[in-house]
């Protein structure tokens, strides 16, 4: 699908520092149709490494190299941990609903935890937080090793957790010691995949002739990338809207940056260029050319000349058919008037798809994963 021109555009700096990440996401839902009640996923450098849901009740690897870094027993333990979290989070959901005096409706309860590791400075940062219906609920403060309530309704739970010094010590150890150890192990095993660089396919898109021009890059990896508009060597900020880096289904990423050129004369559009920068790789420069812009209106304009030629031909064919039918009927009438025998008429019809998990108001000790 993508063509990567490595020899011309890649200049890899092997000494460049990289911050690696290990993230775990737990999500339980209430009354969400066509979605598992509980889902758990793990990611290394934003690449999914495992998956579990309440329908299959099995935790499975999502990368081939994950099968080499751990033994089969790991997945049995991980499955048991996720199964326990599934029931724990179901209880957490009910407690959260009670705190907000809710009984029915769609609700989402989430937990995110993990760590970051700089492979040059060896700096490590751990983090964990809970969310309810898209808003922060409780956060772990790494500097003071305490839980912080993001909502008034979470203060009781926060106080209970902060009074458990044994659990706080265990939490601190996991997020600052065990988690980075796992992360380093995963990165080392998946280095050939995680440390690769894939260059993007870049194109210019426009909904209509009066719409902003979008510079769209897709298929790049890793997600440490930047893209912006430039004119005469200077970065342009006015009329520019940057989009977020989003994941593709194949493990690569995409992003867009739009620019409004409605006040720029058409002959000056070629002075603008879209610049894409991938970490450790030489920047790509794509000069804006009207012939490279893909838009819905341009497709319509391509159809108009064809229609202008075809329409008269169709009209002539229809008129010719009418004339033919007229004379045919006239001749048939003349023939019938001269015949004395009855005629028979014939017709022709044609049819043509970790850390311990604890309920908000009680604790359930489980091994980390």
């Amino acid at each position: 699908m993508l063509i990567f021109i490595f020899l011309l555009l890649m200049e890899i700096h092997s000494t460049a520092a990289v911050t690696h990440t290990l993230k775990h996401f737990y999500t339980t839902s209430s009354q969400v149709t066509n979605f598992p009640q509980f889902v758990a996923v793990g990611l290394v450098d934003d690449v999914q490494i495992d998956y579990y849901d309440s329908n299959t009740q099995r935790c499975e690897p999502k990368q081939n190299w994950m099968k080499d870094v751990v033994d089969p027993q790991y997945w049995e333990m991980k499955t048991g941990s996720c199964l326990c979290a599934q029931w724990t989070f179901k209880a957490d959901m009910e407690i959260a609903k009670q705190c907000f005096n809710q009984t029915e409706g769609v609700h989402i309860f989430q937990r995110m935890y993990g760590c970051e590791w700089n492979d040059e400075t060896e700096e490590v940062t751990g983090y964990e937080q809970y969310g309810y219906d898209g808003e922060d609920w409780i956060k772990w403060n790494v500097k003071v090793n305490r839980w912080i309530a993001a909502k008034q309704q979470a203060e009781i739970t926060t106080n209970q957790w902060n009074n458990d010094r044994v659990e706080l010590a265990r939490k601190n150890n996991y997020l600052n010691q065990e988690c980075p150890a796992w992360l380093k192990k995963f990165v080392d095993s998946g280095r050939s995949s995680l440390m690769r660089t894939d260059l993007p396919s870049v194109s210019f898109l426009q909904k209509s002739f009066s719409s902003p021009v979008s510079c769209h890059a897709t298929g790049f990896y890793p997600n440490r990338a930047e893209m912006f508009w430039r004119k005469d060597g200077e970065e342009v900020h006015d009329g520019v809207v940057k989009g977020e880096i989003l994941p593709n289904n194949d493990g690569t990423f995409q992003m867009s940056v739009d620019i409004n050129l409605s006040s720029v004369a058409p002959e000056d559009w070629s002075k603008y260029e879209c610049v894409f920068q991938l970490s450790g790789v030489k920047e790509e420069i794509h000069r804006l050319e009207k012939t490279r812009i893909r838009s819905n209106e341009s497709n319509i304009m391509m159809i108009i000349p064809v229609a202008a030629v075809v329409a008269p031909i169709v009209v002539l064919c229809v008129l010719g058919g009418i004339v033919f039918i007229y004379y045919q009927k006239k001749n048939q009438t003349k023939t019938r008037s001269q015949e004395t025998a009855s005629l028979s008429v014939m017709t022709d019809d044609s049819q043509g798809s970790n850390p311990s998990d604890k309920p908000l108001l009680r604790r359930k000790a489980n091994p980390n994963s």
Side-chain angles (χ1 to χ4, degrees):
M1 180 180 69
L2 301 172
I3 299 177
F4 307 124
I5 312 177
F6 290 102
L7 296 179
L8 297 178
L9 299 177
M10 284 184 56
E11 290 184 358
I12 301 178
H13 304 287
S14 58
T15 59
V18 175
T19 298
H20 299 281
T21 61
L22 173 58
K23 302 175 185 177
H24 295 280
F25 293 89
Y26 291 172
T27 301
T28 190
S29 58
S30 173
Q31 298 186 20
V32 178
T33 58
N34 300 323
F35 191 77
Q37 188 180 48
F38 179 81
V39 174
V41 296
L43 301 95
V44 171
D45 291 352
D46 292 325
V47 174
Q48 186 177 353
I49 60 172
D50 56 36
Y51 177 84
Y52 171 95
D53 67 42
S54 53
N55 292 339
T56 63
Q57 296 191 357
R58 293 291 305 175
C59 185
E60 299 178 345
K62 284 298 182 180
Q63 301 296 326
N64 289 330
W65 50 265
M66 279 293 293
K67 300 177 182 178
D68 300 327
V69 71
V70 295
D71 53 35
Q73 286 73 23
Y74 171 88
W75 300 109
E76 295 297 329
M77 295 176 59
K78 189 73 174 180
T79 294
S81 176
C82 289
L83 183 61
C84 181
Q86 174 184 329
W87 293 107
T88 300
F89 267 54
K90 184 177 181 180
D92 289 346
M93 169 71 79
E94 296 303 317
I95 295 173
K97 289 165 64 176
Q98 292 175 14
C99 290
F100 286 94
N101 296 320
Q102 299 167 337
T103 56
E104 301 295 333
V106 175
H107 300 287
I108 304 293
F109 188 83
Q110 293 177 297
R111 173 193 183 194
M112 185 272 288
Y113 69 94
C115 55
E116 295 181 354
W117 162 61
N118 187 298
D119 64 2
E120 184 178 72
T121 65
E122 293 294 329
E123 181 181 0
V124 171
T125 302
Y127 44 81
E128 181 170 355
Q129 64 186 77
Y130 291 80
Y132 181 66
D133 284 352
E135 296 183 356
D136 290 341
W137 174 263
I138 301 176
K139 288 185 176 182
W140 184 70
N141 189 311
V142 60
K143 295 182 179 180
V144 298
N145 191 28
R146 289 181 64 83
W147 293 99
I148 306 298
K151 292 287 185 180
Q152 181 181 359
Q153 291 84 349
E155 290 182 355
I156 296 178
T157 298
T158 302
N159 292 333
Q160 289 181 344
W161 289 2
N162 285 331
N163 289 331
D164 191 341
R165 294 185 179 182
V166 174
E167 179 64 16
L168 285 175
R170 190 204 61 80
K171 176 75 61 182
N172 186 68
N173 179 72
Y174 172 80
L175 294 177
N176 289 292
Q177 300 297 328
E178 296 180 34
C179 181
W182 278 111
L183 175 55
K184 294 175 184 179
K185 192 174 183 179
F186 291 150
V187 170
D188 184 63
S189 179
R191 185 171 298 276
S192 61
S193 176
L194 297 172
M195 301 300 286
R196 77 184 193 278
T197 52
D198 292 347
L199 299 181
S201 172
V202 178
S203 56
F204 296 113
L205 308 174
Q206 192 177 29
K207 293 181 180 180
S208 65
F209 293 144
S210 59
S211 301
V213 177
S214 177
C215 182
H216 182 70
T218 185
F220 62 87
Y221 184 90
N223 63 349
R224 296 183 292 275
E226 185 64 50
M227 191 161 64
F228 55 89
W229 283 96
R230 192 164 64 187
K231 178 186 178 184
D232 298 329
E234 297 291 334
E235 184 175 351
V236 179
H237 299 282
D238 293 340
V240 174
V241 178
K242 289 186 178 182
E244 297 180 356
I245 296 179
L246 303 174
N248 290 323
N249 292 332
D250 59 357
T252 62
F253 299 90
Q254 62 172 297
M255 67 184 305
S256 296
V257 55
D258 300 348
I259 186 170
N260 191 337
L261 298 176
S262 59
S263 60
V264 179
E267 58 270 18
D268 293 332
W269 281 29
S270 59
K271 297 179 181 180
Y272 291 82
E273 56 191 19
C274 177
V275 182
F276 177 86
Q277 295 178 335
L278 188 64
S279 177
V281 181
K282 183 178 179 180
E283 66 180 21
E284 292 188 35
I285 301 176
H286 299 267
R287 184 166 296 278
L288 179 60
E289 299 175 1
K290 284 203 167 185
T291 56
R292 293 184 59 188
I293 300 177
R294 297 162 52 190
S295 69
N296 295 332
E297 289 189 2
S298 61
N299 293 335
I300 294 175
M301 293 303 295
M302 291 176 62
I303 297 175
I304 292 177
V306 177
V309 175
V310 174
I313 296 176
V314 174
V315 172
L316 289 175
C317 290
V318 172
L319 290 176
I322 294 175
V323 172
F324 174 77
I325 294 173
Y326 171 77
Y327 281 104
Q328 186 182 47
K329 288 186 176 180
K330 184 175 180 181
N331 292 334
Q332 288 177 348
T333 302
K334 183 177 179 180
T335 302
R336 288 193 183 96
S337 63
Q338 296 175 351
E339 296 177 347
T340 56
S342 62
L343 301 177
S344 62
V345 180
M346 299 186 63
T347 61
D348 181 17
D349 297 328
S350 301
Q351 300 179 5
S353 169
N354 133 37
S356 63
D357 304 302
K358 51 191 176 302
L360 290 175
L361 298 182
R362 60 188 184 281
R363 188 177 313 283
K364 190 175 184 68
N366 295 318
N368 294 320
S369 57

